[in-house]
C-alpha cells in the first residue's frame, strides 16, 4: 500500500514463500482480492483493516504502535513485531490465524466500528 517503502520487501518475502505482490491498484481492488484470499500478511494498517472487512485471516507485522493498538481493537488477533519476523513464527502465526479466525465475527466488528464512526460524526455535527 506504500510502494516506495514496501515493494522491494514484499517482493522478497513473496519470492521466498510462493506468494504474490499486488500493487498499483485501488482499495476496492485490494478488498476484492482479499475477499478470495486464504490469508494475508501485512504491515500497513489500512491493508489490515481491509483484510478484516473482507473476513480474511491476517497476520499484522508491527512496526508502529498504531498496529499494536488499532489492529486488535478492530478485531485482528495475530501480530508479530517486524524486527522479530522469522519463517517459523510467521508460519505459526498464519496457521493459527487460519485455524482460529471467525470471518463473520470480523465482519460484525467492522460494522460495529462503522456505526461508532457514524455516531461520532453525527455527535460532532450536532455540537457545531
Amino acid at each position: 500500500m506504500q510502494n516506495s517503502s514496501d515493494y522491494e520487501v514484499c517482493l522478497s518475502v513473496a519470492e521466498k514463500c510462493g506468494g504474490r505482490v499486488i500493487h498499483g491498484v485501488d482499495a476496492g481492488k485490494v478488498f476484492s482480492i482479499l475477499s478470495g484470499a486464504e490469508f494475508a500478511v501485512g504491515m500497513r494498517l489500512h491493508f489490515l483493516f481491509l483484510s478484516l472487512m473482507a473476513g480474511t485471516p491476517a497476520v499484522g507485522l508491527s512496526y508502529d504502535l498504531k498496529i499494536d493498538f488499532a489492529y486488535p481493537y478492530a478485531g485482528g488477533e495475530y501480530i508479530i513485531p517486524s524486527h522479530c519476523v522469522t519463517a517459523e513464527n510467521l508460519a505459526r502465526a498464519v496457521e493459527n490465524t487460519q485455524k482460529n479466525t471467525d470471518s463473520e465475527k470480523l465482519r460484525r466488528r467492522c460494522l460495529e466500528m462503522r456505526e461508532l464512526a457514524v455516531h461520532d460524526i453525527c455527535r460532532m455535527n450536532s455540537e457545531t
Side-chain angles (χ1 to χ4, degrees), residues 83-128:
H83 64 279
C84 296
V85 176
T86 64
E88 293 79 24
N89 65 14
L90 183 56
R92 190 171 34 256
V94 166
E95 182 180 324
N96 286 334
T97 193
Q98 285 183 297
K99 191 181 334 175
N100 300 317
T101 295
D102 180 342
S103 295
E104 284 307 311
K105 182 180 173 185
L106 292 180
R107 289 185 185 103
R108 282 192 306 274
R109 180 62 183 146
C110 288
L111 289 173
E112 290 169 7
M113 289 182 58
R114 183 173 188 260
E115 289 174 15
L116 288 170
V118 168
H119 177 266
D120 286 348
I121 290 168
C122 292
R123 190 185 55 164
M124 288 185 329
N125 287 339
S126 68
E127 291 175 359
T128 57

Side-chain angles (χ1 to χ4, degrees), residues 31 34-35 37 50-57 101-104 106-107:
F31 179 81
L34 285 169
S35 294
L50 285 170
S51 69
L52 294 174
M53 291 168 53
T56 301
T101 295
D102 180 342
S103 295
E104 284 307 311
L106 292 180
R107 289 185 185 103

Side-chain angles (χ1 to χ4, degrees), residues 3 5-6 12 32 73 79 82 86 91 97 103 110 119:
N3 286 342
S5 301
D6 301 345
S12 173
S32 176
Y73 179 78
I79 299 173
S82 59
T86 64
T97 193
S103 295
C110 288
H119 177 266

Side-chain angles (χ1 to χ4, degrees), residues 64-79:
D64 190 323
L65 289 176
K66 67 183 175 188
I67 302 293
D68 296 337
F69 293 102
Y71 185 53
Y73 179 78
E77 296 184 37
Y78 295 93
I79 299 173

